mmCIF file of all heavy atoms in Angstrom:
data_model
loop_
_atom_site.group_PDB
_atom_site.id
_atom_site.type_symbol
_atom_site.label_atom_id
_atom_site.label_comp_id
_atom_site.label_asym_id
_atom_site.label_seq_id
_atom_site.Cartn_x
_atom_site.Cartn_y
_atom_site.Cartn_z
ATOM 1 N N VAL Q 136 5.881 12.149 4.454
ATOM 2 C CA VAL Q 136 6.578 11.847 3.170
ATOM 3 C C VAL Q 136 7.069 13.199 2.497
ATOM 4 O O VAL Q 136 6.573 14.226 2.705
ATOM 5 C CB VAL Q 136 5.599 11.150 2.185
ATOM 6 C CG1 VAL Q 136 4.532 12.018 1.786
ATOM 7 C CG2 VAL Q 136 6.247 10.475 1.031
ATOM 8 N N ALA Q 137 8.138 13.026 1.770
ATOM 9 C CA ALA Q 137 8.782 14.171 1.137
ATOM 10 C C ALA Q 137 9.209 13.751 -0.205
ATOM 11 O O ALA Q 137 9.448 12.607 -0.571
ATOM 12 C CB ALA Q 137 10.023 14.668 1.934
ATOM 13 N N THR Q 138 9.187 14.743 -1.154
ATOM 14 C CA THR Q 138 9.594 14.498 -2.547
ATOM 15 C C THR Q 138 10.974 15.211 -2.674
ATOM 16 O O THR Q 138 11.227 16.347 -2.448
ATOM 17 C CB THR Q 138 8.599 15.242 -3.489
ATOM 18 O OG1 THR Q 138 7.304 14.544 -3.271
ATOM 19 C CG2 THR Q 138 8.994 14.999 -4.991
ATOM 20 N N ARG Q 139 11.896 14.386 -3.304
ATOM 21 C CA ARG Q 139 13.284 14.938 -3.554
ATOM 22 C C ARG Q 139 13.278 15.807 -4.813
ATOM 23 O O ARG Q 139 12.794 15.365 -5.837
ATOM 24 C CB ARG Q 139 14.295 13.728 -3.602
ATOM 25 C CG ARG Q 139 15.659 14.207 -3.868
ATOM 26 C CD ARG Q 139 16.521 13.030 -4.201
ATOM 27 N NE ARG Q 139 16.678 12.039 -3.044
ATOM 28 C CZ ARG Q 139 17.789 12.146 -2.307
ATOM 29 N NH1 ARG Q 139 18.725 12.917 -2.687
ATOM 30 N NH2 ARG Q 139 17.835 11.218 -1.333
ATOM 31 N N LEU Q 140 13.851 16.904 -4.758
ATOM 32 C CA LEU Q 140 14.070 17.752 -5.831
ATOM 33 C C LEU Q 140 15.482 18.155 -6.009
ATOM 34 O O LEU Q 140 16.226 18.473 -5.120
ATOM 35 C CB LEU Q 140 13.276 19.112 -5.693
ATOM 36 C CG LEU Q 140 11.753 19.118 -5.408
ATOM 37 C CD1 LEU Q 140 11.202 20.483 -5.193
ATOM 38 C CD2 LEU Q 140 11.113 18.336 -6.612
ATOM 39 N N GLU Q 141 16.015 17.893 -7.216
ATOM 40 C CA GLU Q 141 17.453 18.074 -7.581
ATOM 41 C C GLU Q 141 17.579 19.244 -8.573
ATOM 42 O O GLU Q 141 16.916 19.315 -9.569
ATOM 43 C CB GLU Q 141 18.104 16.768 -8.135
ATOM 44 C CG GLU Q 141 18.016 15.598 -7.130
ATOM 45 C CD GLU Q 141 18.618 14.358 -7.853
ATOM 46 O OE1 GLU Q 141 18.991 14.369 -9.034
ATOM 47 O OE2 GLU Q 141 18.725 13.305 -7.130
ATOM 48 N N PHE Q 142 18.564 20.142 -8.224
ATOM 49 C CA PHE Q 142 18.719 21.327 -8.979
ATOM 50 C C PHE Q 142 20.220 21.385 -9.382
ATOM 51 O O PHE Q 142 21.105 20.963 -8.498
ATOM 52 C CB PHE Q 142 18.346 22.641 -8.226
ATOM 53 C CG PHE Q 142 16.891 22.708 -7.902
ATOM 54 C CD1 PHE Q 142 16.493 22.323 -6.645
ATOM 55 C CD2 PHE Q 142 16.003 23.104 -8.820
ATOM 56 C CE1 PHE Q 142 15.172 22.357 -6.284
ATOM 57 C CE2 PHE Q 142 14.599 23.172 -8.478
ATOM 58 C CZ PHE Q 142 14.222 22.837 -7.186
ATOM 59 N N TYR Q 143 20.467 21.847 -10.524
ATOM 60 C CA TYR Q 143 21.917 22.101 -10.988
ATOM 61 C C TYR Q 143 22.199 23.639 -11.249
ATOM 62 O O TYR Q 143 21.882 24.051 -12.302
ATOM 63 C CB TYR Q 143 22.153 21.307 -12.214
ATOM 64 C CG TYR Q 143 22.107 19.829 -12.093
ATOM 65 C CD1 TYR Q 143 20.885 19.078 -12.254
ATOM 66 C CD2 TYR Q 143 23.166 19.083 -11.684
ATOM 67 C CE1 TYR Q 143 20.791 17.741 -12.059
ATOM 68 C CE2 TYR Q 143 23.121 17.682 -11.530
ATOM 69 C CZ TYR Q 143 21.892 17.039 -11.742
ATOM 70 O OH TYR Q 143 21.777 15.666 -11.579
ATOM 71 N N PRO Q 144 22.570 24.363 -10.225
ATOM 72 C CA PRO Q 144 22.722 25.774 -10.354
ATOM 73 C C PRO Q 144 23.747 26.259 -11.304
ATOM 74 O O PRO Q 144 23.664 27.298 -11.935
ATOM 75 C CB PRO Q 144 22.998 26.259 -8.909
ATOM 76 C CG PRO Q 144 23.547 25.084 -8.186
ATOM 77 C CD PRO Q 144 22.927 23.937 -8.898
ATOM 78 N N ASN Q 145 24.781 25.486 -11.442
ATOM 79 C CA ASN Q 145 25.964 25.799 -12.320
ATOM 80 C C ASN Q 145 26.110 24.810 -13.490
ATOM 81 O O ASN Q 145 27.239 24.385 -13.863
ATOM 82 C CB ASN Q 145 27.334 25.769 -11.515
ATOM 83 C CG ASN Q 145 27.254 26.841 -10.373
ATOM 84 O OD1 ASN Q 145 26.678 27.890 -10.477
ATOM 85 N ND2 ASN Q 145 27.854 26.416 -9.234
ATOM 86 N N ARG Q 146 25.075 24.572 -14.047
ATOM 87 C CA ARG Q 146 25.008 23.525 -15.235
ATOM 88 C C ARG Q 146 25.723 24.125 -16.480
ATOM 89 O O ARG Q 146 26.420 23.458 -17.154
ATOM 90 C CB ARG Q 146 23.592 23.091 -15.523
ATOM 91 C CG ARG Q 146 23.466 22.239 -16.779
ATOM 92 C CD ARG Q 146 22.078 21.664 -17.015
ATOM 93 N NE ARG Q 146 21.639 20.870 -15.885
ATOM 94 C CZ ARG Q 146 20.480 20.209 -15.987
ATOM 95 N NH1 ARG Q 146 19.597 20.460 -16.965
ATOM 96 N NH2 ARG Q 146 20.102 19.469 -14.943
ATOM 97 N N GLU Q 147 25.478 25.396 -16.765
ATOM 98 C CA GLU Q 147 26.075 26.030 -17.962
ATOM 99 C C GLU Q 147 27.586 26.345 -17.750
ATOM 100 O O GLU Q 147 28.327 26.240 -18.672
ATOM 101 C CB GLU Q 147 25.371 27.334 -18.357
ATOM 102 C CG GLU Q 147 23.847 27.035 -18.684
ATOM 103 C CD GLU Q 147 23.100 28.276 -19.044
ATOM 104 O OE1 GLU Q 147 23.712 29.435 -18.981
ATOM 105 O OE2 GLU Q 147 21.935 28.224 -19.379
ATOM 106 N N ALA Q 148 27.967 26.829 -16.525
ATOM 107 C CA ALA Q 148 29.265 27.113 -16.324
ATOM 108 C C ALA Q 148 30.205 26.000 -16.221
ATOM 109 O O ALA Q 148 31.357 26.031 -16.781
ATOM 110 C CB ALA Q 148 29.366 28.013 -15.097
ATOM 111 N N ALA Q 149 29.875 25.016 -15.467
ATOM 112 C CA ALA Q 149 30.785 23.887 -15.225
ATOM 113 C C ALA Q 149 30.406 22.693 -16.083
ATOM 114 O O ALA Q 149 29.404 22.689 -16.854
ATOM 115 C CB ALA Q 149 30.554 23.413 -13.766
ATOM 116 N N GLY Q 150 31.443 21.761 -16.213
ATOM 117 C CA GLY Q 150 31.232 20.660 -17.043
ATOM 118 C C GLY Q 150 30.409 19.587 -16.310
ATOM 119 O O GLY Q 150 29.962 19.787 -15.191
ATOM 120 N N GLU Q 151 30.066 18.505 -17.042
ATOM 121 C CA GLU Q 151 29.317 17.490 -16.537
ATOM 122 C C GLU Q 151 29.982 16.886 -15.236
ATOM 123 O O GLU Q 151 29.102 16.543 -14.254
ATOM 124 C CB GLU Q 151 28.969 16.438 -17.571
ATOM 125 C CG GLU Q 151 28.222 16.938 -18.761
ATOM 126 C CD GLU Q 151 27.971 15.807 -19.721
ATOM 127 O OE1 GLU Q 151 28.400 14.587 -19.423
ATOM 128 O OE2 GLU Q 151 27.315 16.113 -20.746
ATOM 129 N N GLU Q 152 31.161 16.698 -15.127
ATOM 130 C CA GLU Q 152 31.872 16.063 -14.049
ATOM 131 C C GLU Q 152 31.915 16.995 -12.837
ATOM 132 O O GLU Q 152 31.899 16.538 -11.699
ATOM 133 C CB GLU Q 152 33.255 15.609 -14.338
ATOM 134 C CG GLU Q 152 33.262 14.602 -15.445
ATOM 135 C CD GLU Q 152 34.646 14.085 -15.799
ATOM 136 O OE1 GLU Q 152 35.528 14.632 -15.183
ATOM 137 O OE2 GLU Q 152 34.835 13.182 -16.615
ATOM 138 N N GLU Q 153 31.862 18.305 -13.083
ATOM 139 C CA GLU Q 153 32.007 19.281 -11.999
ATOM 140 C C GLU Q 153 30.626 19.782 -11.525
ATOM 141 O O GLU Q 153 30.571 20.678 -10.665
ATOM 142 C CB GLU Q 153 32.814 20.472 -12.416
ATOM 143 C CG GLU Q 153 34.194 20.061 -12.865
ATOM 144 C CD GLU Q 153 35.021 21.266 -13.401
ATOM 145 O OE1 GLU Q 153 34.479 22.377 -13.354
ATOM 146 O OE2 GLU Q 153 36.190 21.074 -13.574
ATOM 147 N N GLN Q 154 29.604 19.320 -12.084
ATOM 148 C CA GLN Q 154 28.295 19.732 -11.594
ATOM 149 C C GLN Q 154 27.972 19.331 -10.196
ATOM 150 O O GLN Q 154 28.228 18.188 -9.927
ATOM 151 C CB GLN Q 154 27.173 19.253 -12.617
ATOM 152 C CG GLN Q 154 27.279 19.898 -13.964
ATOM 153 C CD GLN Q 154 26.124 19.361 -14.839
ATOM 154 O OE1 GLN Q 154 25.148 18.718 -14.402
ATOM 155 N NE2 GLN Q 154 26.187 19.748 -16.121
ATOM 156 N N LYS Q 155 27.393 20.157 -9.383
ATOM 157 C CA LYS Q 155 27.041 19.951 -8.053
ATOM 158 C C LYS Q 155 25.490 20.030 -8.003
ATOM 159 O O LYS Q 155 24.941 21.023 -8.286
ATOM 160 C CB LYS Q 155 27.701 20.883 -7.084
ATOM 161 C CG LYS Q 155 29.307 20.673 -6.983
ATOM 162 C CD LYS Q 155 29.905 21.491 -5.973
ATOM 163 C CE LYS Q 155 31.410 21.326 -5.862
ATOM 164 N NZ LYS Q 155 31.940 22.125 -4.860
ATOM 165 N N LYS Q 156 24.959 18.987 -7.467
ATOM 166 C CA LYS Q 156 23.505 18.934 -7.294
ATOM 167 C C LYS Q 156 23.119 19.669 -5.980
ATOM 168 O O LYS Q 156 23.778 19.503 -4.908
ATOM 169 C CB LYS Q 156 22.977 17.502 -7.258
ATOM 170 C CG LYS Q 156 23.262 16.804 -8.556
ATOM 171 C CD LYS Q 156 22.408 15.429 -8.552
ATOM 172 C CE LYS Q 156 23.067 14.533 -7.499
ATOM 173 N NZ LYS Q 156 22.442 13.126 -7.467
ATOM 174 N N ASP Q 157 22.085 20.446 -6.163
ATOM 175 C CA ASP Q 157 21.454 21.196 -4.943
ATOM 176 C C ASP Q 157 20.235 20.377 -4.609
ATOM 177 O O ASP Q 157 19.145 20.510 -5.334
ATOM 178 C CB ASP Q 157 21.157 22.659 -5.308
ATOM 179 C CG ASP Q 157 20.634 23.409 -4.078
ATOM 180 O OD1 ASP Q 157 20.629 22.852 -2.965
ATOM 181 O OD2 ASP Q 157 20.188 24.480 -4.245
ATOM 182 N N ILE Q 158 20.195 19.621 -3.653
ATOM 183 C CA ILE Q 158 19.066 18.749 -3.151
ATOM 184 C C ILE Q 158 18.197 19.409 -2.240
ATOM 185 O O ILE Q 158 18.677 19.895 -1.252
ATOM 186 C CB ILE Q 158 19.558 17.333 -2.737
ATOM 187 C CG1 ILE Q 158 20.463 16.578 -3.795
ATOM 188 C CG2 ILE Q 158 18.374 16.435 -2.244
ATOM 189 C CD1 ILE Q 158 21.032 15.301 -3.166
ATOM 190 N N GLN Q 159 16.929 19.419 -2.637
ATOM 191 C CA GLN Q 159 15.895 20.096 -1.657
ATOM 192 C C GLN Q 159 14.772 19.090 -1.601
ATOM 193 O O GLN Q 159 14.562 18.190 -2.437
ATOM 194 C CB GLN Q 159 15.474 21.430 -2.150
ATOM 195 C CG GLN Q 159 16.516 22.528 -2.243
ATOM 196 C CD GLN Q 159 16.004 23.843 -2.639
ATOM 197 O OE1 GLN Q 159 14.828 23.988 -2.911
ATOM 198 N NE2 GLN Q 159 16.839 24.809 -2.762
ATOM 199 N N PHE Q 160 13.939 19.292 -0.625
ATOM 200 C CA PHE Q 160 12.728 18.400 -0.409
ATOM 201 C C PHE Q 160 11.533 19.329 -0.197
ATOM 202 O O PHE Q 160 11.627 20.364 0.286
ATOM 203 C CB PHE Q 160 12.939 17.629 0.888
ATOM 204 C CG PHE Q 160 14.074 16.554 0.777
ATOM 205 C CD1 PHE Q 160 15.302 16.910 1.082
ATOM 206 C CD2 PHE Q 160 13.751 15.269 0.286
ATOM 207 C CE1 PHE Q 160 16.382 15.960 1.038
ATOM 208 C CE2 PHE Q 160 14.747 14.308 0.264
ATOM 209 C CZ PHE Q 160 16.061 14.696 0.553
ATOM 210 N N GLU Q 161 10.394 18.813 -0.537
ATOM 211 C CA GLU Q 161 9.192 19.451 -0.390
ATOM 212 C C GLU Q 161 8.126 18.429 0.300
ATOM 213 O O GLU Q 161 8.164 17.239 -0.019
ATOM 214 C CB GLU Q 161 8.501 19.991 -1.646
ATOM 215 C CG GLU Q 161 8.210 19.017 -2.749
ATOM 216 C CD GLU Q 161 7.710 19.627 -4.021
ATOM 217 O OE1 GLU Q 161 7.570 20.880 -3.993
ATOM 218 O OE2 GLU Q 161 7.324 18.939 -4.857
#
Side-chain angles (χ1 to χ4, degrees):
V136 70
T138 303
R139 179 192 292 261
L140 302 177
E141 298 180 355
F142 300 95
Y143 297 89
N145 299 324
R146 176 176 294 182
E147 297 179 357
E151 294 182 358
E152 298 180 356
E153 299 179 357
Q154 291 181 8
K155 294 183 179 180
K156 294 188 296 184
D157 184 10
I158 299 177
Q159 296 182 3
F160 294 89
E161 63 180 4

